[in-house]
Amino acid sequence: MSKIAIKISTNAPFSKSLLPLRNHTGLGISVIKNKIENKDFFAETDANDIDDMENLKGLVDKLFKLGAAVKIFDSDEYGEGIFDYQEISYEEFSNNIDRLKEIAEELQDYDDALSEER
């Protein structure tokens, strides 16, 4: 299973990024501060879960508005190592979400067609 995660280096005051990070991750203030200082991953999510991906995109959008520098990473379990992360662009991230939505719609259409045949 592929995963998506983010890293944050904040250019804005730490306090501005704190609330959205806390709301999304449920982590404590000191843990969030340490993760930012150590450039650790935040908000790791399943890359095939549309709802989780859209929630993560909402967090990334909020952080961008607050002046945080956000890097998005994708893991590929079939890559060199399990969950070996590689940085992707915001555009690739958004395209992945759009692709997941299209696949879900196609599957729903297929299921609907099968139901009508019965």
Side-chain angles (χ1 to χ4, degrees):
M1 163 177 51
S2 294
K3 293 203 175 270
I4 298 285
I6 60 173
K7 285 186 180 181
I8 301 160
S9 65
T10 184
N11 302 330
F14 169 74
S15 60
K16 286 186 177 183
S17 300
L18 180 62
L19 186 59
L21 287 169
R22 209 162 163 208
N23 287 341
H24 186 84
T25 64
L27 298 173
I29 295 169
S30 60
V31 174
I32 291 171
K33 184 177 179 183
N34 286 336
K35 283 185 172 282
I36 289 174
E37 289 172 353
N38 295 326
K39 296 182 176 24
D40 287 339
F41 290 114
F42 270 97
E44 186 177 73
T45 189
D46 180 356
N48 295 315
D49 186 317
I50 296 170
D51 294 333
D52 285 349
M53 292 283 284
E54 287 183 325
N55 287 337
L56 183 59
K57 184 177 185 291
L59 174 63
V60 170
D61 291 342
K62 285 179 191 173
L63 292 170
F64 279 147
K65 286 179 186 176
L66 295 171
V70 180
K71 292 183 178 183
I72 305 166
F73 294 86
D74 186 10
S75 74
D76 179 7
E77 70 177 314
Y78 301 108
E80 291 180 22
I82 293 181
F83 304 120
D84 187 27
Y85 283 101
Q86 294 182 9
E87 187 173 355
I88 61 172
S89 69
Y90 180 81
E91 185 178 343
E92 286 177 277
F93 176 58
S94 294
N95 288 343
N96 284 345
I97 294 170
D98 292 341
R99 179 184 52 82
L100 286 174
K101 287 180 184 177
E102 288 174 10
I103 291 170
E105 288 173 10
E106 288 175 11
L107 288 173
Q108 184 62 48
D109 291 345
Y110 179 73
D111 285 346
D112 292 345
L114 284 177
S115 318
E116 289 175 7
E117 288 180 8
R118 293 180 189 166

